[in-house]
Amino acid sequence: MTRKTWLWTWTLALGFALGCGDDDTGTPDGGDADVTETGADADADADADADADADADADADADADVVETCPEAEPVVLSGELTGTRTLDHRCRHRIDGYYKVRAGATLTIEPGTLVMGDKATKGALVVFQGGRLLAEGTADAPIVFTSSLPEGSRASGDWGGVVLMGRAPINTPGGTGIAEGGEANWVYGGTDPADDSGVLRYVRIEFAGIEVTADNELNGLSLYGVGRGTELDYIQIHMGLDDGIEFFGGAADVRHLLITAASDDSIDWDLGWSGRAQFVIVQQDPAEGDNGIEADNNKNDHGLSPRSHPVIANLTLIGQGADLDSSDDNFGWQARRGTAGELHNTIIYGFDERGFDFQNPSTCAQATADELTIRYSIVFGNDPDFPVDDAVEGDPPTTYEDPPFDEGAWFLDASRSNRNVDPQLADPFNLDAPDFRPQTGSPALSGGAVPSDSWFESVTFVGGVGAGDAPWYAGWTAFPVE
């Protein structure tokens, strides 16, 4: 190797090490934190181009297929605030210490295949403020993984705080804005822009997240506060969360291809006026600790506030603990209360040990009577019971949910709704290690569905979150670790 070749190679190596090793801990000098974790700077590139000779070209050709590993021996630490732009290199491991805050005007880009770990000791969480953007675009072959900083075998739900997005879409709190749970006084969300854009999450796994900051004040696996429909959410798994899997605090966010597994509380939670859409959604509850498949509210302080919660969801599968199991909680497939509206189409509710679904509070039953709260082209089966028998739930003394006289079973089976109370014949939905949520040959879920008349929805006729086929949409990029 010539002297020029040696200098060129040394310059590139030095630049690469400096790029990937830069920890962004804020901008004390007031400048934007523009960080890219790859390559040398422009001057080094220019010098390398000028000095490279034929021998260097030959060396470069020989090394063209080499994929270098991150030069950092320890994870790159993410802490403090990001006020500019930053790209996380997939070759580096990253650890979030405390709240890593992506401020207004900042953009955090994460490459496909990147590993981001939330620190347990400092309750790490990724927090994107109004006007900030998170661009986390993985692929089926290289998903982006957010997980615990602890080693495999030691991880558990609640190890870190998960991912938080705060947008400017409408919510129904007085004044039109709110302060996010688990946050500080400046964690403001809500506004007047239903098309607000907080970025992209695609082919993303979020594992072992969800922390209780104070009593009844938690962060979830994915917390969406007033997030707008300009945000792209597609192919997301949330696994082993301590609190809810995903919670929509108002807003108008849409989501496709969502898998939530082993949540300790509710898998899906909505309130404060969520008016988004969802399609191809699957929930598998934690058999020991999980609460409801869906917990749906409008506003707990005033059931009539607007915009009223009214999401439209098609092709949804809710899998409970199995009706032969007895959890310590009251586990409903779908618990609708506090004046919520909403639509479920092509839905399967199967295997919950309390009720398939239940409407609570007169304000909610009024929405069902007006057909603003509805379930159509759906199957409810194998729950204990499928529909409420009376207003009391097992216990000593029994719990009462303050229902007015309302017969959910008769309402569900009304012919105008095209619902069925039959076995959906799914392949292996209760398997916790390698579940198969597809309908088997001859299943009634293979047909009988119809999607809403909205071009956003893909037109399918099967019932449930996945149809029959060689490979379901969740194959390959998801995982089901216990610890």
Side-chain angles (χ1 to χ4, degrees):
M1 181 181 293
T2 66
R3 180 176 182 274
K4 290 183 179 180
T5 302
W6 180 86
L7 287 172
W8 176 75
T9 303
W10 184 88
T11 301
L12 283 179
L14 177 61
F16 177 80
L18 290 173
C20 201
D22 192 343
D23 293 349
D24 176 23
T25 57
T27 55
D29 61 357
D32 286 344
D34 295 328
V35 180
T36 301
E37 296 182 353
T38 57
D41 60 24
D43 291 339
D45 287 341
D47 290 343
D49 289 342
D51 292 343
D53 56 14
D55 290 340
D57 290 340
D59 290 342
D61 290 341
D63 293 339
D65 295 330
V66 176
V67 178
E68 298 186 54
T69 59
C70 181
E72 292 290 320
E74 296 297 328
V76 177
V77 175
L78 307 175
S79 63
E81 299 183 349
L82 177 65
T83 58
T85 61
R86 180 170 191 162
T87 298
L88 304 188
D89 191 323
H90 70 278
R91 294 168 296 179
C92 306
R93 297 180 305 138
H94 302 80
R95 190 184 73 221
I96 302 173
D97 285 5
Y99 294 151
Y100 185 50
K101 303 172 183 178
V102 180
R103 290 292 187 180
T107 298
L108 177 64
T109 300
I110 305 179
E111 293 184 347
T114 300
L115 177 66
V116 182
M117 302 173 291
D119 182 58
K120 180 177 175 64
T122 61
K123 298 184 178 180
L126 177 58
V127 182
V128 181
F129 285 75
Q130 289 181 321
R133 301 188 76 224
L134 171 63
L135 302 180
E137 297 190 66
T139 68
D141 295 328
I144 293 167
V145 180
F146 293 92
T147 191
S148 168
S149 63
L150 296 182
E152 291 187 22
S154 301
R155 301 174 300 182
S157 57
D159 276 352
W160 66 292
V163 178
V164 180
L165 304 182
M166 290 176 278
R168 295 191 175 102
I171 63 175
N172 66 18
T173 59
T177 61
I179 304 299
E181 289 185 6
E184 301 157 359
N186 63 354
W187 287 35
V188 177
Y189 69 100
T192 59
D193 184 5
D196 191 44
D197 180 1
S198 296
V200 181
L201 276 75
R202 181 177 291 115
Y203 285 109
V204 167
R205 295 205 314 261
I206 302 173
E207 305 171 343
F208 305 106
I211 57 174
E212 184 177 58
V213 180
T214 59
D216 298 322
N217 193 7
E218 306 95 0
L219 297 181
N220 307 290
L222 179 58
S223 302
L224 302 176
Y225 288 93
V227 173
R229 70 172 68 99
T231 307
E232 298 180 46
L233 304 169
D234 199 4
Y235 293 100
I236 298 171
Q237 182 190 15
I238 303 165
H239 180 68
M240 289 286 291
L242 180 65
D243 196 54
D244 300 330
I246 186 170
E247 184 161 2
F248 298 87
F249 297 87
D254 299 328
V255 60
R256 287 189 176 97
H257 303 105
L258 173 65
L259 174 63
I260 302 174
T261 47
S264 295
D265 195 7
D266 308 311
S267 289
I268 300 172
D269 195 331
W270 79 63
D271 57 10
L272 301 182
W274 179 45
S275 60
R277 299 164 293 191
Q279 189 175 22
F280 309 125
V281 178
I282 300 173
V283 162
Q284 185 193 59
Q285 284 291 87
D286 185 318
E289 298 185 26
D291 203 350
N292 303 309
I294 297 176
E295 183 176 86
D297 297 305
N298 186 42
N299 186 299
K300 67 179 181 180
N301 298 316
D302 184 341
H303 298 185
L305 287 176
S306 62
R308 188 183 298 273
S309 295
H310 193 143
V312 180
I313 302 175
N315 297 99
L316 166 68
T317 296
L318 301 176
I319 300 299
Q321 300 84 346
D324 58 334
L325 300 176
D326 188 14
S327 171
S328 60
D329 294 324
D330 297 330
N331 307 117
F332 301 152
W334 178 29
Q335 182 185 51
R337 58 187 192 174
R338 296 170 176 169
T340 190
E343 304 172 29
L344 303 187
H345 301 254
N346 301 354
T347 294
I348 295 172
I349 304 177
Y350 182 35
F352 286 84
D353 68 357
E354 187 58 53
R355 302 178 180 188
F357 73 94
D358 188 27
F359 296 158
Q360 299 169 12
N361 309 117
S363 57
T364 310
C365 295
Q367 295 299 308
T369 300
D371 215 30
E372 294 296 316
L373 178 66
T374 192
I375 179 169
R376 297 180 180 276
Y377 309 105
S378 297
I379 295 172
V380 172
F381 185 80
N383 307 283
D384 190 18
D386 288 324
F387 316 109
V389 176
D390 53 35
D391 194 33
V393 173
E394 295 176 3
D396 186 18
T399 303
T400 300
Y401 284 114
E402 304 175 326
D403 278 348
F406 191 90
D407 189 337
E408 284 93 340
W411 176 90
F412 176 82
L413 294 172
D414 185 289
S416 67
R417 294 185 175 84
S418 302
N419 294 320
R420 291 169 285 176
N421 184 212
V422 296
D423 187 345
Q425 299 177 34
L426 304 184
D428 198 6
F430 299 108
N431 187 318
L432 302 179
D433 301 315
D436 189 345
F437 303 105
R438 292 174 295 180
Q440 301 179 79
T441 301
S443 164
L446 292 170
S447 61
V451 300
S453 56
D454 179 336
S455 61
W456 184 86
F457 291 95
E458 181 180 335
S459 181
V460 299
T461 57
F462 63 82
V463 178
V466 62
D470 293 334
W473 55 260
Y474 53 83
W477 59 276
T478 58
F480 306 91
V482 177
E483 56 186 17

